[in-house]
Amino acid sequence: MPGYLTVTSESLPPVVIGDTVTLKCNFQTDGSLKEIVWFRESEQIIEGASAKQKIFSYNAMYNTSYSNMEDNRKREDLVYQSTVRLPEVHMEDDGLYECHVGIYDRNSKDKVILASSSITLTVIVPPKSISVVVANSPAPFSRYEAQNFTLVCIVTGAKPAPMVYFKRDGELIDVVPTAQSFSSVGVQSKSPGHKKSWTMNQAGLWSTQVLTSRDVDDTKLQRTLLEQEEKQARLDHNGPVDSQGQEEESELNPEETTEIIPETIVSREFPRWVQTTDPLYYFYHRQQAAGDGTMEVRAMLTWSLNPQLDNEALFSCEVNHPALSMPMQAEVTLAAPRGPKLSMSPSKAKVGDTVRITVQGFQLGPSASEVFPEPMFTWTKVGGDLLDGRAVHNGRELILERVPAELNGSMFRCTAQNPLGSTDTHTRLIVFDNPRLKRGKEHYIAINTAVGRHSFTLSTILLLRFTCELT
């Protein structure tokens, strides 16, 4: 009866990078052990096949110790287990491992029976970083048009790719998933007077129509209702009229049926959109492999922004990953800029100094720690152009080089805005006399006077000498 050899391996769950793992290979035989060899499949390709790297070997001819072999049963049962311990596994340890066993046939010492089994070691890596940014930032504030707003959650350093989801004020957001071939960055349609609706254009982009228009401004709706009530009261007082009389009345008094209200009468810091339903949140994500074998995931949440409702709303991006014991998250609070705090350096500017006016911070609400998204800043000079001749300067800091005395008392306006709101603040520049320039000017005048006197004296002497020679 020929000998037999059965080799099996114990499967492993995913192992977190840095942990210790033990590879186990069990074999049963009725023969005598010859050798045990462990291989790791290498990434190197030789002649179209993956190369194998030997990581451990045991030869019974030269070893009498069984430190790497443990008997699970009595020795006469001939059931063994070979183990390989990998302390603090790295990304490079990920891959396929093979356990090869050779025995001598009990009927013939010249005959060797070989068998093998494989184990797949999967090394997983938790995310290294998570952050939330705004697409297309910085962006201006839109007072009369609804605009799409996109939060981007960036997760790096994870293997495999994590699951990403968004919450608003601690509640999971019910999203509308989009196909990965589509972009979630919305393109606004300028068709007025329509409710919010999303459509897909031929280019595969999600687009949304404007939420509101002048026709649905709540202030104008109130006026329209008031006019209708007044008209109904007049009709009830004068009695019913026929349709021809109504047409004539509309022709004679067009202002009673036509509402003409200029947009400029409505002036608010935040627009008041009219929404009949909750906003639709569209979710899109993509992932790409990094050079170190990990994945980078970008998850995008797009919706039609309502500055009045979304201001100071807390949005969080959370990540679930098998290497994490609890979700990893990053939070942002949407906040409009309010009350910019300006600083001027030097505090007492003199003629010829370089003056820097900088936005140091903002007045924040109770739930916001910073203005988010990052606002854009615009500087103008009230009543004229800036010192360098430009009408507008963009940036957090305004620099006025070698200020002249003519700028004394000038007023500068700083406008800070992001998609959630806009605010203005002003500062007045006071320019003092510069004693150094004044002394220098006086010294220059004195030198010119002395030179003039010396020239006059020399001219007089030469004139007298010339007169004496003539006489």
Side-chain angles (χ1 to χ4, degrees):
M1 181 178 178
Y4 73 93
L5 173 64
T6 303
V7 181
T8 59
S9 57
E10 298 183 10
S11 60
L12 291 173
V15 180
V16 180
I17 187 171
D19 288 355
T20 298
V21 64
T22 300
L23 308 179
K24 297 180 181 181
C25 175
N26 303 316
F27 57 95
Q28 183 175 358
T29 181
D30 60 353
S32 301
L33 178 65
K34 179 181 183 294
E35 65 177 356
I36 302 173
V37 182
W38 282 86
F39 293 95
R40 178 184 179 276
E41 190 173 279
S42 175
E43 296 180 356
Q44 185 179 3
I45 305 298
I46 300 178
E47 296 181 356
S50 299
K52 295 180 180 180
Q53 177 186 2
K54 183 187 294 186
I55 61 173
F56 172 80
S57 64
Y58 170 84
N59 194 312
M61 182 180 297
Y62 304 105
N63 294 273
T64 59
S65 172
Y66 288 86
S67 60
N68 186 255
M69 272 194 326
E70 300 177 1
D71 294 347
N72 286 342
R73 302 179 184 178
K74 298 178 181 180
R75 286 299 306 273
E76 57 267 19
D77 292 339
L78 303 177
V79 178
Y80 307 98
Q81 183 182 77
S82 175
T83 60
V84 173
R85 185 171 179 267
L86 302 177
E88 297 184 1
V89 295
H90 300 82
M91 284 281 292
E92 296 78 12
D93 297 326
D94 186 280
L96 184 68
Y97 291 79
E98 295 181 355
C99 171
H100 292 252
V101 179
I103 65 164
Y104 293 108
D105 191 334
R106 68 177 182 175
N107 298 322
S108 174
K109 292 294 183 181
D110 297 332
K111 184 179 179 181
V112 177
I113 301 176
L114 302 175
S116 65
S117 181
S118 61
I119 305 174
T120 299
L121 174 61
T122 302
V123 180
I124 59 177
V125 184
K128 293 181 180 179
S129 66
I130 178 173
S131 60
V132 179
V133 299
V134 177
N136 304 320
S137 182
F141 172 65
S142 177
R143 188 179 301 276
Y144 298 109
E145 287 187 359
Q147 56 182 334
N148 287 345
F149 189 79
T150 300
L151 288 177
V152 184
C153 181
I154 305 173
V155 184
T156 62
K159 176 183 177 292
M163 184 179 70
V164 183
Y165 52 92
F166 286 91
K167 289 184 177 180
R168 172 170 177 158
D169 296 327
E171 298 292 334
L172 185 65
I173 297 177
D174 187 13
V175 298
V176 179
T178 60
Q180 290 194 1
S181 59
F182 300 147
S183 171
S184 65
V185 179
V187 180
Q188 291 186 19
S189 170
K190 295 188 177 181
S191 303
H194 289 75
K195 297 179 182 178
K196 183 174 68 175
S197 62
W198 288 75
T199 58
M200 197 185 309
N201 56 27
Q202 294 179 353
L205 300 178
W206 289 98
S207 62
T208 180
Q209 295 178 342
V210 176
L211 292 175
T212 60
S213 67
R214 293 186 299 118
D215 298 332
V216 293
D217 193 321
D218 54 354
T219 58
K220 299 170 187 178
L221 288 174
Q222 293 175 4
R223 177 170 176 177
T224 304
L225 292 175
L226 181 60
E227 291 179 351
Q228 291 178 354
E229 292 177 358
E230 293 177 352
K231 183 177 179 180
Q232 184 64 33
R234 290 196 300 270
L235 290 176
D236 294 341
H237 178 72
N238 297 331
V241 295
D242 56 7
S243 59
Q244 183 177 0
Q246 292 180 0
E247 293 178 359
E248 293 176 357
E249 182 180 357
S250 62
E251 293 177 358
L252 295 176
N253 302 310
E255 65 277 6
E256 293 183 1
T257 58
T258 303
E259 180 188 8
I260 303 176
I261 303 177
E263 283 189 359
T264 53
I265 68 168
V266 180
S267 178
R268 300 189 184 95
E269 183 179 359
F270 300 108
R272 299 179 65 180
W273 310 126
V274 178
Q275 287 184 330
T276 58
T277 59
D278 293 335
L280 293 178
Y281 293 94
Y282 286 86
F283 181 81
Y284 165 80
H285 83 283
R286 67 171 182 265
Q287 59 188 40
Q288 61 181 8
D292 59 355
T294 61
M295 303 295 293
E296 178 183 291
V297 176
R298 289 177 177 258
M300 284 160 275
L301 183 72
T302 300
W303 75 98
S304 188
L305 186 70
N306 186 328
Q308 190 177 26
L309 298 180
D310 294 333
N311 188 46
E312 298 193 359
L314 175 65
F315 285 85
S316 61
C317 171
E318 298 193 5
V319 171
N320 278 339
H321 192 271
L324 296 174
S325 58
M326 59 185 301
M328 186 178 183
Q329 69 173 8
E331 296 180 342
V332 293
T333 300
L334 304 186
R338 295 191 305 174
K341 302 175 183 179
L342 303 182
S343 68
M344 185 180 298
S345 176
S347 57
K348 292 185 177 181
K350 295 183 284 293
V351 176
D353 288 349
T354 296
V355 178
R356 299 175 181 269
I357 309 176
T358 309
V359 179
Q360 295 288 351
F362 297 90
Q363 296 178 4
L364 299 174
S367 59
S369 60
E370 62 177 350
V371 174
F372 186 86
E374 175 68 19
M376 56 190 306
F377 303 92
T378 303
W379 297 86
T380 56
K381 179 176 176 290
V382 178
D385 294 335
L386 297 173
L387 185 59
D388 56 4
R390 293 180 299 166
V392 177
H393 171 73
N394 297 317
R396 196 180 189 96
E397 183 179 61
L398 175 66
I399 301 177
L400 304 172
E401 296 184 352
R402 297 186 294 275
V403 294
E406 290 77 15
L407 278 185
N408 183 34
S410 298
M411 185 78 73
F412 293 90
R413 178 191 297 110
C414 175
T415 301
Q417 58 180 323
N418 67 8
L420 291 143
S422 175
T423 184
D424 293 336
T425 188
H426 298 77
T427 185
R428 187 179 297 277
L429 176 62
I430 304 299
V431 182
F432 296 90
D433 290 336
N434 194 332
R436 291 183 303 172
L437 295 179
K438 191 173 182 180
R439 285 197 301 268
K441 184 176 181 181
E442 292 175 352
H443 181 65
Y444 177 77
I445 293 174
I447 291 175
N448 288 342
T449 303
V451 171
R453 290 177 180 175
H454 179 71
S455 300
F456 177 75
T457 304
L458 183 60
S459 301
T460 304
I461 293 174
L462 292 176
L463 181 58
L464 291 175
R465 182 177 177 182
F466 179 74
T467 303
C468 294
E469 289 179 355
L470 289 178
T471 56

